[in-house]
Amino acid sequence: MKLKTFIKKIDFKVIHEGSCGDTELTKPFCCDLLSLAMGRGSKGCVWVTVMGNINTLAVASLNETGCIILAEGASLDEAAAARAVQEDITVLSSGLPVFETALDAYRILQS
């Protein structure tokens, strides 16, 4: 599913949409340990995390993550918000727990 379609279907807040709407999303990936995410995150994944710092954006860029969803009401700090714009990384926000956020993303990707 294309990122722009995913954003229209999912009921999460858009923090930064970016211009990569044609990115093909693959699957949800849940991880809060950046070193593990660096090794196991994959191109096009929907990364669900509570880590809203600049290092998260760096890993997302390195892995060519499709988008980041910050779960449990987490938000980007100021430096990370600027990096999301600079790197053109789509970041969404959910008030739901990590599992429920990933489950919602999975269901949308399967529809």
Side-chain angles (χ1 to χ4, degrees):
M1 172 179 292
K2 300 285 185 191
L3 177 56
K4 61 185 170 191
T5 304
F6 180 79
I7 291 171
K8 288 178 185 175
K9 289 186 172 189
I10 201 144
D11 190 27
F12 295 151
K13 179 183 173 189
V14 177
I15 295 174
H16 176 70
E17 186 166 344
S19 62
C20 302
D22 288 332
T23 298
E24 191 67 35
L25 300 179
T26 57
K27 62 183 177 183
F29 172 70
C30 303
C31 187
D32 292 324
L33 185 60
L34 295 176
S35 59
L36 187 62
M38 193 180 315
R40 296 191 182 165
S42 60
K43 182 178 181 177
C45 73
V46 175
W47 183 10
V48 181
T49 184
V50 296
M51 301 284 294
N53 62 45
I54 197 165
N55 295 325
T56 302
L57 279 289
V59 171
S61 179
L62 178 71
N63 286 349
E64 299 180 61
T65 297
C67 72
I68 297 170
I69 303 176
L70 297 172
E72 303 198 25
S75 60
L76 293 177
D77 63 34
E78 193 173 308
R83 180 62 59 94
V85 172
Q86 179 185 6
E87 297 287 333
D88 204 27
I89 297 170
T90 298
V91 182
L92 309 174
S93 177
S94 166
L96 299 172
V98 170
F99 176 78
E100 291 177 35
T101 299
L103 187 58
D104 280 355
Y106 177 79
R107 287 178 178 150
I108 295 296
L109 289 171
Q110 297 303 308
S111 65

